[in-house]
Amino acid sequence: MKIFGVDIGGSGIKGAPVDLERGDLAEERFKVLTPHPATPDGVADGVKEVVHHFGWTGPVGLTFPGVVTGGATIRTAANVDKSWIDTDARALFSDRLGGHEVTVVNDADAAGVAEMAFGAGRDRRGTVILLTFGTGIGSAVFVDGALVPNTELGHLELNGHDAEKKASSKAKDDGELTWEHWARRVQKYLAHVEMLFSPELFIIGGGVSRKADKFLPLIEGIRAEMVPAQLQNNAGIVGAAMHARKRD
Ligand code: BGC
């Protein structure tokens, strides 16, 4: 079975039909740039361009980089335009696409669901936490494979700061931090999350997970096992499609 997945990120809107049995893209993905400011209207146009590129008419699952309740309503917008807050994104995208069946899920939750089914979290029980390091820090918490949605651990307070402002990969780029310097911040952050949740496993996701060999070996003193995400850039697209299927 195929469902279309779209991952809405700070820099790009990416999508492709997803083969749900294989947990992989059925065709090469297509990407457009996220408009700035990332308003509901501008993002909806980008989503339409991506979905129409494939001539897709079936159900569509989308990720959003904020809290999403009921598969539809946006509640927070840390790194996109604030006018998203309280928007019914399901209605917006469905209208813009011409009546497609649509569901929306938090981006890190989508990536986590995909990693648990097809990637680094396969067959893992107990408490597993996936963290995505990108424009912000996203989190997905699983207990015996079941997701606790919308956990927002990227906004934990660390040394008086919103953690993602210091330890996201954007913070590394903006501050031109060395891997060593950034790894120290990530280590502090992981230690804090570990103190609160004592997970068995941390899955480290986001674009920077491709370079896990540059920073994971520098992180010390964490009891939990730490592994890079396996689906990397496609986890959001695959997870969005999986979430849309679950609703059927
Ligand atoms: C948002 C989360 C999101 C994460 C990654 C954070 O700023 O609050 O909802 O999952 O960024 O995009």
Side-chain angles (χ1 to χ4, degrees), residues 186-188 190-191 194 202 219-226:
V186 174
Q187 175 176 312
K188 238 184 229 165
L190 291 176
E194 178 160 77
F202 279 120
I219 293 175
E220 292 169 351
I222 304 295
R223 276 193 319 275
E225 192 184 335
M226 289 181 293

Side-chain angles (χ1 to χ4, degrees), residues 65-67 76 78-79 106-108 132 136-139 152 155 164:
V67 170
T76 69
N79 295 305
N106 171 264
D107 55 359
T132 61
I137 297 178
S139 61
E152 294 293 314
H155 298 295
E164 75 172 20

